[in-house]
Amino acid sequence: MQSSNHRLRDMEQHHPLLSAGADVETGSLAAGVMVGGPHSGHAAGNRTMWFIQDSCGMVCAGITWFLVLYADFVVNFVMLLPGKNFWYSLLNGATFNSLAVLALASHMRTMMTDPGAVPKGNATKEYMESLQLKPGEVIYKCPKCCSIKPERAHHCSICKRCIRKMDHHCPWVNNCVGEKNQRFFVLFTMYISLISAHALGLSSMHFFTCIKVQWNECSAFSPGVSVLLLIFLCLEAILFLTFTAVMFGTQIHSICNDETEIERLKNEKPTWERRMRWDGMRAVFGGSPSLLWCNPFTGLRLRRLLLLTHGRRGGSEFSV
């Protein structure tokens, strides 16, 4: 498709002219969009939650929640509640459960936040003419979702959308990690690694304590069941700690170098002004360094969630 003012090319590799923050008026979608398949995608007025209806991703996300809840069950009912030291159980229980809630909240925010999807089907003649490009300038469209690709956007075959600053698609959160939800993914990996390390420490302490006394005095479960539960918890904690700690480190490194995993693997030369170290961290987490960076509930619009739950529209929004 060509006009006298610009040319349009169908290419996956691109040097796009649109900025990552450009708002699209024609065919634009709200941040909360239900994505369930190749034909999904609603108008901005239909503010439904973002969710990827991928069977593999939903199973992996369910497994993630099950394993976190399993660890919470073993820590509370096998190790802490039967313990005789009240303050030891109280402090460790409060710490572990708080971290578990933050981890699951971060997982939910990562999974149900639009990662930065480019509007589908916006590569129309009318919209291209509205860009007012200079003669000879080239814009690139994705042949898979028929959208004009902004800078640093890549197409995800699972989400079936082009995602701004796409880092990778993670089945464990059933979503892409991109411009708008990377901070929640970083928090998810951080909190999972913390509760994994905490669970390993508690398990080691419990084994050491129970060796000195009778196992029947250490847990409400039989010795055999308790040992099996603790062994499985330790294996889970070691696996999760290794994976999430490495992922957390790679994400921080990518943010500080302003380079996504896809860009690193493809060895793409930067055509954008790179934001290094703290500038990159502030761009992802927002504002100056503070405890709010560690809060997965920051920016949560409770009013919108209530409207989505009850199917109503309009009214003001409350943000935390």
Side-chain angles (χ1 to χ4, degrees):
M1 183 184 299
Q2 292 185 343
S3 70
S4 59
N5 294 329
H6 59 270
R7 294 171 290 166
L8 176 66
R9 294 182 180 178
D10 298 318
M11 293 182 65
E12 179 65 24
Q13 298 295 332
H14 59 286
H15 300 284
L17 302 174
L18 295 180
S19 64
D23 292 326
V24 180
E25 296 180 359
T26 303
S28 64
L29 301 178
V33 178
M34 178 71 75
V35 177
H39 305 293
S40 61
H42 303 276
N46 187 11
R47 296 186 175 183
T48 53
M49 285 187 178
W50 175 276
F51 185 75
I52 304 299
Q53 295 182 5
D54 174 61
S55 56
C56 177
M58 290 187 288
V59 170
C60 290
I63 292 175
T64 302
W65 274 66
F66 170 77
L67 292 176
V68 173
L69 294 176
Y70 168 81
D72 193 68
F73 169 80
V74 175
V75 168
N76 285 295
F77 294 96
V78 177
M79 290 188 283
L80 296 182
L81 290 180
K84 297 180 179 179
N85 190 327
F86 172 77
W87 289 110
Y88 173 84
S89 299
L90 178 63
L91 294 176
N92 281 284
T95 301
F96 187 89
N97 286 289
S98 298
L99 293 175
V101 169
L102 291 172
L104 293 178
S106 301
H107 182 275
M108 184 64 70
R109 292 299 302 274
T110 307
M111 182 171 61
M112 306 194 74
T113 298
D114 176 4
V118 178
K120 294 180 69 174
N122 68 344
T124 62
K125 180 179 179 181
E126 293 77 11
Y127 174 66
M128 288 186 289
E129 291 177 349
S130 70
L131 295 177
Q132 299 179 349
L133 301 175
K134 298 179 181 179
E137 286 186 325
V138 180
I139 56 176
Y140 294 90
K141 97 170 181 182
C142 175
K144 300 175 183 178
C145 59
C146 195
S147 63
I148 297 177
K149 301 181 70 172
E151 188 176 26
R152 306 181 70 182
H154 293 84
H155 185 85
C156 175
S157 58
I158 299 177
C159 296
K160 296 179 173 55
R161 298 287 290 277
C162 286
I163 307 297
R164 290 187 174 96
K165 288 186 65 177
M166 177 181 171
D167 188 85
H168 68 286
H169 184 95
C170 179
W172 299 106
V173 297
N174 189 33
N175 201 1
C176 277
V177 177
E179 183 180 61
K180 295 183 179 180
N181 68 345
Q182 187 176 25
R183 62 166 297 184
F184 302 121
F185 182 75
V186 173
L187 292 180
F188 168 67
T189 56
M190 181 183 73
Y191 287 124
I192 289 294
S193 61
L194 288 177
I195 65 173
S196 298
H198 194 188
L200 278 176
L202 291 175
S203 299
S204 302
M205 183 67 68
H206 192 73
F207 272 117
F208 180 77
T209 302
C210 291
I211 289 176
K212 296 181 178 181
V213 298
Q214 294 294 327
W215 275 90
N216 293 330
E217 300 179 8
C218 291
S219 174
F221 297 89
S222 63
V225 173
S226 298
V227 171
L228 288 177
L229 292 174
L230 290 172
I231 290 176
F232 187 78
L233 175 63
C234 289
L235 293 176
E236 174 195 343
I238 293 173
L239 180 63
F240 269 44
L241 176 60
T242 303
F243 175 77
T244 55
V246 171
M247 183 60 69
F248 175 77
T250 57
Q251 287 292 301
I252 295 297
H253 180 269
S254 296
I255 293 173
C256 291
N257 289 278
D258 196 14
E259 182 182 47
T260 66
E261 187 65 18
I262 291 180
E263 292 164 351
R264 187 186 67 82
L265 292 175
K266 291 185 176 182
N267 197 25
E268 295 183 1
K269 295 182 179 179
T271 58
W272 59 93
E273 183 179 355
R274 303 181 74 168
R275 291 173 291 194
M276 307 298 286
R277 297 180 176 84
W278 283 112
D279 290 336
M281 294 290 289
R282 281 191 286 265
V284 172
F285 289 91
S288 301
S290 67
L291 290 178
L292 292 177
W293 282 15
C294 301
N295 182 12
F297 300 102
T298 301
L300 183 63
R301 295 175 177 176
L302 301 180
R303 179 62 175 169
R304 174 173 292 182
L305 291 178
L306 292 176
L307 294 178
L308 294 176
T309 303
H310 298 287
R312 299 194 303 269
R313 298 179 184 174
S316 59
E317 294 179 353
F318 178 72
S319 300
V320 293

